[in-house]
Amino acid sequence: MAALTIAYNDAAARVLCPISIAGNIGGKTLTPGLYKSTSTLAISSGDLTLDAKGDADAVFIFQIATTFTTTSGRKVVLTNGAKAANVYWQIGSFATLGTTTEFQGTMMADQAITLSTNATLNGRALARICAVNLDSNPIVKPTP
């Protein structure tokens, strides 16, 4: 728990050149950087692509003030050298991955995380206060 709190606070405290995002980020392609949402965030109308632009050390950090959700069947797609081990989702309250979602990265939620039936995770699901709820979910620890 101590290590999670340190990592969560580190991700939340990042302030250098944040890129504002809001609402639904489905259907977008994002490059490495710090992304900040001041309210809820969703991947709901298409898949999200994270493009490392050939940099195997590229880092993506998402700061989400409140809730984060994906609708059923959505994907986070990694391209051009992007690695799940370098993708971080700092979530201010709750996260829910919809049924059969294919997700990448480390989710750090202040409250709880729910992975709906058959949602897959290449990464980690860590909740500070409540629980991580699973339902037939394959989870793979990402390779460095």
Side-chain angles (χ1 to χ4, degrees):
M1 287 307 294
L4 170 57
T5 297
I6 290 168
Y8 180 92
N9 290 338
D10 179 81
R14 302 287 174 120
V15 295
L16 187 60
C17 302
I19 301 162
S20 294
I21 54 175
N24 171 31
I25 57 172
K28 296 187 183 292
T29 298
L30 303 177
T31 56
L34 172 63
Y35 294 89
K36 183 178 184 81
S37 170
T38 58
S39 63
T40 63
L41 197 66
I43 301 172
S44 60
S45 66
D47 298 333
L48 173 65
T49 300
L50 302 179
D51 182 352
K53 299 193 162 256
D55 181 359
D57 296 321
V59 174
F60 299 81
I61 299 174
F62 294 86
Q63 297 172 332
I64 305 161
T66 59
T67 59
F68 175 67
T69 58
T70 70
T71 54
S72 295
R74 296 285 61 103
K75 296 177 185 175
V76 174
V77 179
L78 304 178
T79 62
N80 295 319
K83 296 178 184 175
N86 294 341
V87 179
Y88 302 93
W89 306 82
Q90 179 264 320
I91 303 153
S93 60
F94 300 91
T96 303
L97 301 185
T99 303
T100 68
T101 291
E102 295 177 21
F103 199 77
Q104 310 284 337
T106 297
M107 290 187 292
M108 300 175 289
D110 186 54
Q111 296 295 315
I113 299 172
T114 299
L115 279 68
S116 301
T117 307
N118 293 323
T120 62
L121 173 61
N122 180 14
R124 294 175 177 87
L126 308 165
R128 294 182 63 218
I129 295 174
C130 295
V132 175
N133 302 297
L134 304 173
D135 183 6
S136 304
N137 307 105
I139 298 176
V140 175
K141 181 180 174 184
T143 56

